[in-house]
Amino acid sequence: MSTTEIKFGGLGGQGIILAGMIIGRAASIYDNKFATLTQSFGPEARGSACSAQVIISDKKILYPYVTKPEILLIMSQEACNRFLPDAVHDATIIIEEDLVNPKELKPDMKVYGIPATRLAEELGPKMILNIIMVGFFTAVTKIVDYESVKEAVRTSVPEGTENLNMKAFERGYHFGNGIG
Amino acid sequence: MSTTEIKFGGLGGQGIILAGMIIGRAASIYDNKFATLTQSFGPEARGSACSAQVIISDKKILYPYVTKPEILLIMSQEACNRFLPDAVHDATIIIEEDLVNPKELKPDMKVYGIPATRLAEELGPKMILNIIMVGFFTAVTKIVDYESVKEAVRTSVPEGTENLNMKAFERGYHFGNGIG
């Protein structure tokens, strides 16, 4: 059985939860896998920090909390500081490189950075930042199929924004393939 | 300790997940409670069914799966058929009454119906259906504070749609107060 634990972290408004949902849905759309997304709201949810835990598995998931993330997708420094210590020693760390500077990395961790904010500004509105990150994540991790994620993006973004978000996805994906 | 298990079910595109998130966030914004939202994507996620599990508690939540929902918010017949049998014997069942006809109710269950689709059409675009349901839920269940939910709606809906969604929330809330 193969199970992958992923943590998504950033600031409210960056679309980090939608990014997690798209990856979770993509895993089930064509890949015939199971996925869960769990979001915890504690009293700290009053601040602007925002995170989601996604598990992808070949089997039904009995315990949906991520305890040792193998992949982190991080869009704020605060999320990085908070979640990096829990990640496995050889975790894949995916960051928006202009917003996040990972400190105290373990030696086997692999860090992949993308200037997604700048790329978003080139394409149009900044709200597509999360979808650029999803494209980059898809290229770097290869844990969900390219076509599945594309379909999950298309069916998850607000009506009327599909074309723009497809471009954002492709931009992040190609950036990730160039360096991955 | 007080813990409430809630299940949200409907069709993709109805905004059922956002409804669950708003309730979860509201519980933490002012009420100082903990909440989790869990969404499972199995191979069945390829269909149009959509559901979320929300737990609200005074304490940190150790197991975020809903096993015996005490409240159901249901926006499709399929979700009703699927989730009703698992609900506790005296569950509160909140339905969009033109879309859902609950069958095989247990004798102690309380059903609250609202014609949210028609009310949404009176106010404007149909996409506010879920927020009308959130307002109705707030009035009927009283498990989250009115002001907390209002604030959670305001900060969770797409920018530029706040006023319309506030009206939708109020419409559902007042409808619920009239009959609750």
Side-chain angles (χ1 to χ4, degrees):
Chain A
M1 188 186 83
S2 156
T3 296
T4 308
E5 298 193 359
I6 313 168
K7 190 125 188 180
F8 292 76
L11 296 171
Q14 285 181 325
I16 201 84
I17 309 298
L18 183 62
M21 276 187 194
I22 287 171
I23 298 302
R25 291 195 59 217
S28 69
I29 287 179
Y30 292 119
D31 292 7
N32 224 34
K33 287 182 181 166
F34 295 88
T36 58
L37 177 137
T38 301
Q39 198 185 349
S40 296
F41 315 85
E44 75 277 9
R46 280 187 259 182
S48 58
C50 201
S51 72
Q53 317 177 32
V54 173
I55 298 182
I56 298 175
S57 178
D58 295 337
K59 282 198 193 168
K60 279 213 174 190
I61 296 154
L62 298 178
Y63 183 73
Y65 276 144
V66 165
T67 52
K68 284 272 170 202
E70 294 151 76
I71 304 173
L72 290 181
L73 188 152
I74 297 293
M75 292 171 69
S76 79
Q77 189 60 43
E78 187 192 336
C80 188
N81 300 345
R82 226 168 112 197
F83 301 136
L84 202 57
D86 291 333
V88 297
H89 73 98
D90 57 351
T92 298
I93 317 291
I94 296 170
I95 57 169
E96 204 298 343
E97 65 183 27
D98 292 331
L99 301 176
V100 180
N101 176 21
K103 292 160 194 161
E104 302 187 32
L105 284 163
K106 295 166 195 165
D108 297 336
M109 286 179 171
K110 294 168 292 297
V111 178
Y112 298 92
I114 179 171
T117 308
R118 276 189 281 143
L119 298 178
E121 280 160 3
E122 284 169 29
L123 282 175
K126 218 173 134 183
M127 56 164 240
I128 55 170
L129 179 60
N130 59 337
I131 306 300
I132 295 180
M133 295 299 294
V134 165
F136 186 58
F137 174 100
T138 306
V140 165
T141 66
K142 297 181 179 62
I143 61 155
V144 269
D145 182 67
Y146 165 83
E147 290 293 341
S148 305
V149 185
K150 215 169 139 174
E151 180 63 10
V153 169
R154 201 183 55 74
T155 55
S156 302
V157 298
E159 237 181 282
T161 69
E162 291 90 345
N163 284 348
L164 179 63
N165 277 297
M166 284 293 112
K167 276 185 205 157
F169 172 72
E170 295 287 352
R171 190 70 187 87
Y173 185 79
H174 290 304
F175 191 94
N177 262 344
I179 70 163
Chain B
M1 187 187 82
S2 155
T3 296
T4 308
E5 299 194 359
I6 312 166
K7 191 125 186 178
F8 292 74
L11 296 171
Q14 284 180 326
I16 201 84
I17 308 298
L18 184 61
M21 277 187 192
I22 287 171
I23 298 302
R25 291 195 60 218
S28 68
I29 286 180
Y30 291 117
D31 293 6
N32 225 33
K33 287 182 181 166
F34 294 87
T36 58
L37 177 137
T38 301
Q39 199 186 349
S40 295
F41 316 85
E44 74 279 8
R46 281 186 257 181
S48 57
C50 200
S51 72
Q53 316 178 30
V54 173
I55 298 181
I56 297 176
S57 178
D58 296 336
K59 282 198 189 167
K60 279 213 174 190
I61 297 153
L62 298 178
Y63 184 73
Y65 276 142
V66 165
T67 52
K68 284 272 171 202
E70 295 150 73
I71 304 172
L72 291 181
L73 188 154
I74 296 294
M75 293 170 70
S76 79
Q77 189 60 43
E78 187 193 337
C80 188
N81 299 346
R82 228 169 110 197
F83 301 137
L84 201 57
D86 291 334
V88 296
H89 73 99
D90 58 349
T92 298
I93 317 291
I94 297 170
I95 57 168
E96 205 297 344
E97 65 183 26
D98 292 331
L99 301 176
V100 180
N101 175 21
K103 292 161 195 161
E104 301 186 34
L105 284 165
K106 295 166 195 165
D108 297 337
M109 286 179 170
K110 294 169 291 297
V111 179
Y112 298 92
I114 180 171
T117 307
R118 276 189 282 143
L119 297 178
E121 279 162 1
E122 283 168 31
L123 281 175
K126 218 174 133 183
M127 56 166 240
I128 56 171
L129 179 59
N130 59 337
I131 305 300
I132 294 181
M133 295 299 295
V134 165
F136 186 58
F137 176 99
T138 306
V140 166
T141 66
K142 297 182 178 62
I143 61 157
V144 272
D145 181 68
Y146 166 82
E147 290 293 341
S148 306
V149 185
K150 214 169 139 176
E151 179 64 9
V153 169
R154 202 182 54 75
T155 55
S156 301
V157 298
E159 238 182 281
T161 68
E162 291 90 344
N163 284 348
L164 179 63
N165 277 297
M166 284 294 111
K167 274 184 207 159
F169 173 71
E170 296 288 353
R171 189 71 188 86
Y173 185 78
H174 290 305
F175 191 94
N177 261 345
I179 70 162

